[in-house]
Amino acid sequence: WGDAGEVFTLGTRLARATVALRQQDPDQAMRAVSRIDPTRGSGTRLGPALREFLRQWSGHRAVRSATVVIVSDGWESGRPDLLERQMARLKLLSHRLIWVNPQAGAPNFEPFAPALRRAWPLIDDHVPGHSLAALQSLAERIAG
């Protein structure tokens, strides 16, 4: 990855995944990433994780003027207002804010999750993440 980008997981806590993803073998890289956050599956707390991310990284090039991609269904187990405030901060720092939602590929999708509804106006691009074609479209958006 070098200076090309940074990758973080923001499930129940903030974890930097960039080094783990430097593995040449994709299976090894994914195993390394899965070992980063042992609390995975314990509910999503994006607000606190984003707050920690911004405390540590807001002054770095990894955030300033970057395209930031968040992949989540938006079901926040923390306070929706905290996520909204952190998304507003991230929006001010970043060049572009993309939210990839695996549920957004469903017909008549609406952002029902309270935290996602509050963050929705701050997001530049809302992208479905339910299929390989959707993820290929995401890659094109990031590149272009």
Side-chain angles (χ1 to χ4, degrees), residues 63-86:
V63 177
R64 298 214 175 259
S65 301
T67 296
V68 177
V69 179
I70 296 176
V71 181
S72 174
D73 62 6
W75 287 101
E76 168 72 22
S77 59
R79 296 184 354 244
D81 62 311
L82 178 60
L83 177 60
E84 180 182 25
R85 284 195 313 274
Q86 300 315 307

Side-chain angles (χ1 to χ4, degrees), residues 53-70:
F53 171 75
L54 290 166
R55 280 183 187 153
Q56 292 181 25
W57 290 86
S58 65
H60 290 80
R61 193 172 66 193
V63 177
R64 298 214 175 259
S65 301
T67 296
V68 177
V69 179
I70 296 176

Side-chain angles (χ1 to χ4, degrees), residues 45-123:
R45 298 187 44 83
L46 290 173
L50 275 175
R51 180 177 53 204
E52 179 68 20
F53 171 75
L54 290 166
R55 280 183 187 153
Q56 292 181 25
W57 290 86
S58 65
H60 290 80
R61 193 172 66 193
V63 177
R64 298 214 175 259
S65 301
T67 296
V68 177
V69 179
I70 296 176
V71 181
S72 174
D73 62 6
W75 287 101
E76 168 72 22
S77 59
R79 296 184 354 244
D81 62 311
L82 178 60
L83 177 60
E84 180 182 25
R85 284 195 313 274
Q86 300 315 307
M87 290 290 292
R89 289 179 60 206
L90 188 57
K91 173 77 173 166
L92 289 173
L93 294 171
S94 65
H95 167 68
R96 196 159 143 217
L97 192 50
I98 301 173
W99 192 293
V100 180
N101 189 325
Q103 296 178 349
N108 303 319
F109 168 78
E110 292 289 330
F112 291 113
L116 184 55
R117 274 199 320 263
R118 291 180 76 153
W120 197 259
L122 301 166
I123 301 165

Side-chain angles (χ1 to χ4, degrees), residues 10-30:
L10 302 170
T12 55
R13 67 180 183 85
L14 173 68
R16 185 171 177 239
T18 308
V19 175
L21 289 171
R22 287 188 181 140
Q23 303 283 332
Q24 292 297 318
D25 180 277
D27 292 329
Q28 287 179 353
M30 292 312 296

